[in-house]
Amino acid sequence: MRSDDRLAVITHCHTRQSNNRASPMDGFIRAAVARVTGESAEDFDWTESRTTPEEIGCLVAPGGVADLVFVTDHLNETTRAFDPELVDLANENDRIAIGGELQTVVETPPGSGRYASAPEVLLYGGTDRMRERGGAHYGISAAWLAEMQDACRPVGAPRPELHRVLAYCRARRIAHGLSHPLDGHTLDLETTLTAIAGCRFIEVVNGGFGSDSARRLARYLEVHNRVRSRPGLARSLAEGERGDGVVGRLARRLMNGAGGAAPYIADDIVTWGGSDAHLGRYDRVCVRYRPPADARAPGFAALVSDMLDTPLSEVRADEVFTIEGRGNGLASVLIEVLGLVLVNTRRSWATFRTPRKLARLLALAPRLAVGEVLRHRRQQQRLGADLDRVLASMESSLGSGAGEAAVEGPRISEIGEVASLGS
């Protein structure tokens, strides 16, 4: 039995970082500053979020907007520690957990020795507390992160490899999800779909991206879950007239599972949501968690246990996790990025030394930032158009299969633009 009460969980938000080198924007920001000043920007003091641990504490205080908060700051191979104030806060407050958004790569093509940026992995930890700084908190610790990075980074790779990270988390019972997997990376469609198919929780609604990606992800998950539950559907897809293309290869992957050296394929995938907040509006996307009715003071341990142990078909049927909120449109994304430029300029005005350099930064940085956002937008649109064609082909084949009912749509045509979305 499940409780009728739902907890508001912020699963994806950022704080000021003790290690800003972990931000995906790091190289872009430093290059822009070096271009303005004509000097190295190695010591430029900037942050991708201005949120303090104290402000995170206010989110779960009486009258706050959330019951539980996962802080998921950017992590990469340079991350060696978490903000001491954040660790102390999580040690003292069981309603705040330290997670992470880990940057990964995928070797493409396989065996080439060349690696491309891949979707980030949201790390939520296990059911037990992690010991750090003389206390214990839910989520992950710096020591655990270092161990995982060493185990999951192939020789010659710039950072951890995606499928190794996912396998590591499964083997060690670490709750995890894939972060906005249609946005923010450079993989082609087939490699992207292989990544999505290998993770049990997919962030479908992200507060930093729009509804197009959310709708496409929801459509894919609908097809994936149906095909995995009925192997005959995958067989008919693989044997269809398009069997030698992307659809056929994907269908064979869904049919065969993780046999041999093939990447793991999840039997069920649950839709997930995150605010991805950097400058406020922390609850713009929340996950509403419906704990077991007999759970006493349910919190992170119960939530993570459901992610790891409860059959996902049951999780979906009982609506254990639902999504509340919507993503950002292009205008909102641009406003937030420009806000970050202004915040960091104000914090680091001494770097520019002269009003002329400061004025040049204020003229140049917005143009560079907008150009970077639009570049990612074009990549997203190309990937989305390719996915639309694959989904149309799969849905058509499933609907015309002998003895099979036509595939149903996800029934969430307004995903990302409504108040609530069931998982």
Side-chain angles (χ1 to χ4, degrees):
M1 293 289 293
R2 291 279 164 180
S3 169
D4 291 332
D5 296 326
R6 291 185 178 272
L7 304 181
V9 186
I10 297 176
T11 65
H12 186 172
C13 73
H14 301 279
T15 67
R16 67 183 191 196
Q17 298 172 3
S18 58
N19 175 30
N20 286 299
R21 295 290 183 179
S23 167
M25 294 284 286
D26 178 78
F28 166 72
I29 292 290
R30 294 186 191 281
V33 172
R35 182 173 171 181
V36 168
T37 63
E39 302 172 4
S40 170
E42 287 301 300
D43 297 325
F44 179 57
D45 179 24
W46 73 280
T47 179
E48 196 168 349
S49 172
R50 63 185 179 188
T51 307
T52 65
E54 181 181 6
E55 289 171 315
I56 293 294
C58 292
L59 299 179
V60 296
V65 298
D67 297 296
L68 302 171
V69 173
F70 278 106
V71 176
T72 50
D73 283 331
H74 296 292
L75 309 173
N76 68 9
E77 69 284 353
T78 69
T79 307
R80 295 291 178 265
F82 296 114
D83 185 332
E85 290 183 30
L86 177 62
V87 175
D88 290 342
L89 176 65
N91 285 347
E92 297 167 2
N93 193 328
D94 278 353
R95 299 171 69 186
I96 296 170
I98 299 177
E101 187 179 20
L102 179 68
Q103 296 170 43
T104 69
V105 293
V106 165
E107 187 180 22
T108 179
S112 66
R114 296 191 298 271
Y115 291 88
S117 62
E120 295 163 313
V121 179
L122 292 164
L123 302 169
Y124 295 119
T127 56
D128 296 328
R129 293 177 174 87
M130 306 289 283
R131 298 206 61 81
E132 194 166 18
R133 285 183 58 83
H137 58 79
Y138 286 107
I140 64 176
S141 68
W144 175 83
L145 177 64
E147 176 186 307
M148 186 207 66
Q149 299 233 44
D150 288 342
C152 299
R153 185 176 177 182
V155 175
R159 55 183 47 132
E161 196 277 332
L162 172 64
H163 294 287
R164 293 192 184 197
V165 172
L166 297 178
Y168 186 96
C169 290
R170 290 193 301 271
R172 289 159 180 79
R173 290 176 49 76
I174 302 297
H176 59 284
L178 216 56
S179 176
H180 50 77
L182 292 184
D183 303 278
H185 60 81
T186 59
L187 300 183
D188 61 27
L189 176 64
E190 193 165 352
T191 310
T192 300
L193 290 179
T194 301
I196 293 170
C199 194
R200 290 156 40 97
F201 286 82
I202 300 296
E203 190 181 61
V204 170
V205 181
N206 176 279
F209 296 96
S211 58
D212 288 345
S213 292
R215 291 192 188 96
R216 288 173 173 130
L217 284 166
R219 284 178 67 195
Y220 171 78
L221 266 54
E222 181 77 14
V223 170
H224 178 107
N225 289 339
R226 185 178 180 215
V227 168
R228 286 296 286 171
S229 68
R230 303 171 74 174
L233 294 180
R235 189 171 299 108
S236 67
L237 275 177
E239 295 172 352
E241 60 180 353
R242 299 178 180 87
D244 291 332
V246 174
V247 172
R249 291 193 294 271
L250 178 62
R252 285 190 288 274
R253 206 170 290 130
L254 293 177
M255 179 174 62
N256 295 331
Y264 167 87
I265 300 294
D267 285 333
D268 287 285
I269 299 179
V270 172
T271 57
W272 199 243
S275 72
D276 208 359
H278 292 77
L279 290 176
R281 295 178 60 212
Y282 310 100
D283 62 335
R284 60 189 176 195
V285 177
C286 285
V287 168
R288 289 282 180 175
Y289 170 50
R290 186 183 178 196
D294 58 355
R296 295 182 179 180
F300 290 114
L303 184 152
V304 168
S305 179
D306 270 324
M307 292 182 73
L308 294 172
D309 298 323
T310 303
L312 295 193
S313 56
E314 179 182 325
V315 168
R316 290 189 289 112
D318 290 347
E319 295 189 318
V320 174
F321 301 109
T322 57
I323 305 170
E324 183 176 274
R326 57 174 295 172
N328 266 340
L330 178 60
S332 297
V333 172
L334 290 173
I335 289 171
E336 187 160 308
V337 169
L338 292 176
L340 284 169
V341 170
L342 293 175
V343 166
N344 284 290
T345 300
R346 187 168 61 245
R347 289 178 67 247
S348 303
W349 65 269
T351 300
F352 307 100
R353 298 198 181 106
T354 67
R356 181 179 178 182
K357 287 183 177 180
L358 184 60
R360 187 179 177 208
L361 176 74
L362 291 174
L364 179 65
R367 178 162 57 86
L368 293 175
V370 170
E372 184 73 358
V373 170
L374 294 179
R375 182 178 70 82
H376 284 289
R377 184 84 167 186
R378 288 191 294 271
Q379 167 68 16
Q380 171 194 335
Q381 289 172 335
R382 287 193 296 269
L383 190 66
D386 290 343
L387 180 54
D388 283 341
R389 287 190 287 271
V390 167
L391 286 170
S393 178
M394 294 181 76
E395 290 165 346
S396 174
S397 296
L398 290 174
S400 61
E404 299 288 355
V407 64
E408 294 183 4
R411 298 182 183 177
I412 43 176
S413 59
E414 297 303 315
I415 182 170
E417 299 182 354
V418 294
S420 180
L421 163 69
S423 61

